[in-house]
Amino acid sequence: MAKKMKLSEITNMFAGMNVEALEGVTIEGDIEIDLGGLGGFDPMLAAALGQESAVLAQHFARIAGMFGYPVSVGAPAAAPAAVSPALAAPKLKDLIPAKFEFSNIEEWTTQVEEVPIGNTSADGGSRGKRILLGGEKALPFFPDAPMPNRNQVTIDVFDMRLGLAKAVKENYDDVMDNPGEWAKKNVEKFNADMITIHLISTDPLIKDTSPKDAAKTVEEVLQAVDVPIAIGGSGNPQKDPLVLAKAAEVAEGERCLLASASLNLDYAAIAEAALKYDHDVLSWTQLDMNAQKELNRKLMKQCNVPRDRIIMDPTTAALGYGLDYAYTNMERIRLAALMGDDELTFPMSSGTTNAWGARESWMVSSPLKEDSDWGPREYRGPIWEIITGLSLAIAGNDLFMMMHPTSVAVLKHMTQTLFGSIEAEPVDIANWIGAEV
């Protein structure tokens, strides 16, 4: 007998052997199998190979179905094919009992500061609710150290029409000329916990909107929604302190989050406005734990900002663009806080919208001809934002600044499920692509 056989020859042999597991199965392609050392061909070997091939075919059919390509594997048999005991799934009674125990980590002795955002009428403001960030005594989602407060999501609003990724813009094109309506849509339709109003038109290189006119936009948003809000400038280090100070004045008593104080601008002026008009301060640094410590120290000791008014933004680098570094930085900050570093024991915020700066999130396809297919960007963009946010949630982040409504819904569902919140709503992933994607 020949020492080698082709798969097609074995298939022909199976056809005359009435192997039930291969009924209706067609094996395509051809390979040569070395049978040397098997001591000749055996019908039992044929049956065993047929059984294994049938199981593989069924697995591939299921995988194809998961990706939207239903495959029919032969005609249904009168009765299920017998499965070898070695291939059968283990029964619950066959599993070895095991117990997983959590133990307290002795080094984690310090609790993260709890910081409220938003004042209700009981607190002297007009917000419909107040949210709480922080308060953790361990890394997030540890079963033995429940998180006292769930993660929160704030959705971005801008004070002018601007260029956005197509997948994002389609959701907001009808309201981009009206910040109040934009904020209302984010709350009423997309379930935002907070609103972040970005006053980008104040940049001298864009429209150079005056602080007084920018403050009117803040008033408009406060009247349109009753959730807590964060107020951001344009990023111009000379203009932002003036803009945020005026915005803080018109929002007096609402306990907004002023975004942000940093080492490269007049952080003292922003801190002064926060204290004078009853707001919180976002302490922003650029992926540098030592710089974060320095800024927090200055806010507390030079500017006398109370601990329960500081939230950190250590900077978010998106998936594929330094996410691993951002994750490591946030995790190190949180671990240092739990181990007693009182300059870092504050909740953290992530500019998760930075994910949309990655070209993979918004480009139609790769600019490289030899690159593989990237798939539809309607999926890719939200996934990029979700993965960026979820990764940093595991690192200890508390507040997420986001844009795409599907990303918001999925991230909230994931984090609230891990948190154990009854507020988490099921997300129909199958309906991602549609008018609102």
Side-chain angles (χ1 to χ4, degrees):
M1 181 177 174
K3 294 294 185 181
K4 296 183 179 181
M5 293 186 69
K6 291 188 176 181
L7 185 58
S8 56
E9 295 172 357
I10 297 176
T11 304
N12 293 334
M13 287 185 180
F14 291 160
M17 291 183 178
N18 194 27
V19 179
E20 184 179 10
L22 283 178
E23 183 178 349
V25 175
T26 300
I27 301 176
E28 297 182 352
D30 214 1
I31 60 174
E32 193 173 62
I33 302 174
D34 187 355
L35 297 177
L38 292 178
F41 193 73
D42 186 331
M44 293 298 293
L45 173 62
L49 286 172
Q51 184 73 42
E52 295 285 357
S53 300
V55 171
L56 284 173
Q58 291 166 359
H59 282 318
F60 285 126
R62 292 191 190 101
I63 292 171
M66 290 169 60
F67 285 94
Y69 300 96
V71 177
S72 177
V73 185
V83 179
S84 153
L87 297 175
K91 300 289 190 293
L92 187 59
K93 64 182 180 60
D94 299 326
L95 299 177
I96 300 173
K99 186 177 181 181
F100 186 78
E101 295 182 349
F102 292 89
S103 59
N104 293 326
I105 297 178
E106 295 180 359
E107 291 84 358
W108 294 358
T109 58
T110 307
Q111 184 174 6
V112 174
E113 194 73 40
E114 189 173 69
V115 178
I117 308 177
N119 279 341
T120 64
S121 57
D123 309 302
S126 64
R127 303 299 86 197
K129 67 175 182 179
R130 162 180 276 195
I131 68 170
L132 294 172
L133 300 179
E136 299 94 337
K137 296 180 180 179
L139 287 177
F141 315 124
F142 266 50
D144 65 331
M147 296 169 63
N149 302 301
R150 70 170 177 86
N151 304 96
Q152 304 283 338
V153 174
T154 176
I155 304 183
D156 290 343
V157 170
F158 297 87
D159 68 341
M160 59 174 283
R161 181 174 286 270
L162 75 164
L164 296 174
K166 182 180 178 182
V168 175
K169 186 177 180 180
E170 288 177 345
N171 296 281
Y172 304 116
D173 197 42
D174 59 327
V175 293
M176 289 181 68
D177 297 311
N178 189 323
E181 290 301 313
W182 192 343
K184 189 181 296 185
K185 186 173 187 178
N186 283 346
V187 173
E188 296 179 356
K189 190 168 186 178
F190 301 139
N191 198 27
D193 298 311
M194 285 180 56
I195 292 296
T196 299
I197 173 64
H198 295 276
L199 304 172
I200 61 170
S201 72
T202 59
D203 192 317
L205 299 178
I206 300 179
K207 288 188 177 182
D208 201 18
T209 300
S210 69
K212 182 178 179 181
D213 288 339
K216 293 178 182 178
T217 301
V218 174
E219 289 181 302
E220 179 185 347
V221 171
L222 285 169
Q223 292 170 8
V225 297
D226 68 351
V227 298
I229 73 168
I231 306 171
S234 65
N236 182 281
Q238 288 74 42
K239 190 79 174 286
D240 274 5
L242 303 174
V243 171
L244 292 178
K246 190 63 179 179
E249 181 181 353
V250 300
E252 183 174 7
E254 298 291 357
R255 192 150 188 170
C256 303
L257 177 61
L258 302 185
S260 53
S262 70
L263 291 170
N264 69 341
L265 53 70
D266 189 358
Y267 57 83
I270 295 172
E272 180 182 1
L275 294 177
K276 184 176 181 180
Y277 300 113
D278 192 14
H279 301 298
D280 297 329
V281 177
L282 188 66
S283 173
W284 174 64
T285 55
Q286 296 175 292
L287 296 169
D288 186 335
M289 188 169 79
N290 289 327
Q292 189 71 66
K293 286 168 59 71
E294 179 186 355
L295 179 56
N296 293 348
R297 182 169 61 249
K298 288 180 175 179
L299 288 173
M300 288 186 292
K301 296 185 177 180
Q302 290 183 11
C303 306
N304 298 314
V305 178
R307 299 183 62 85
D308 67 348
R309 290 187 180 270
I310 296 175
I311 296 171
M312 299 181 292
D313 180 355
T315 293
T316 294
L319 173 63
Y321 291 77
L323 176 59
D324 52 342
Y325 193 86
Y327 178 98
T328 301
N329 188 48
M330 283 192 175
E331 187 179 53
R332 288 177 62 215
I333 287 173
R334 180 51 50 90
L335 288 171
L338 295 173
M339 290 188 285
D341 189 332
D342 63 0
E343 293 178 346
L344 294 172
T345 51
F346 304 101
M348 289 186 287
S349 173
S350 158
T352 316
T353 49
N354 289 349
W356 292 97
R359 66 179 186 175
E360 291 85 353
S361 69
W362 58 269
M363 289 183 72
V364 175
S365 60
S366 172
L368 305 176
K369 293 182 180 179
E370 65 273 17
D371 206 349
S372 59
D373 181 19
W374 282 4
R377 59 178 173 176
E378 292 84 359
Y379 283 124
R380 245 188 299 124
I383 289 173
W384 224 260
E385 192 172 18
I386 292 164
I387 295 300
T388 299
L390 182 60
S391 300
L392 299 181
I394 295 170
N397 190 70
D398 301 278
L399 177 65
F400 301 89
M401 296 183 176
M402 304 183 70
M403 290 181 72
H404 197 289
T406 298
S407 306
V408 171
V410 174
L411 184 69
K412 288 184 73 172
H413 179 74
M414 288 178 169
T415 56
Q416 291 182 32
T417 298
L418 291 169
F419 176 76
S421 170
I422 59 174
E423 297 177 41
E425 294 293 336
V427 178
D428 188 357
I429 304 298
N431 289 328
W432 270 20
I433 293 182
E436 294 298 340
V437 177

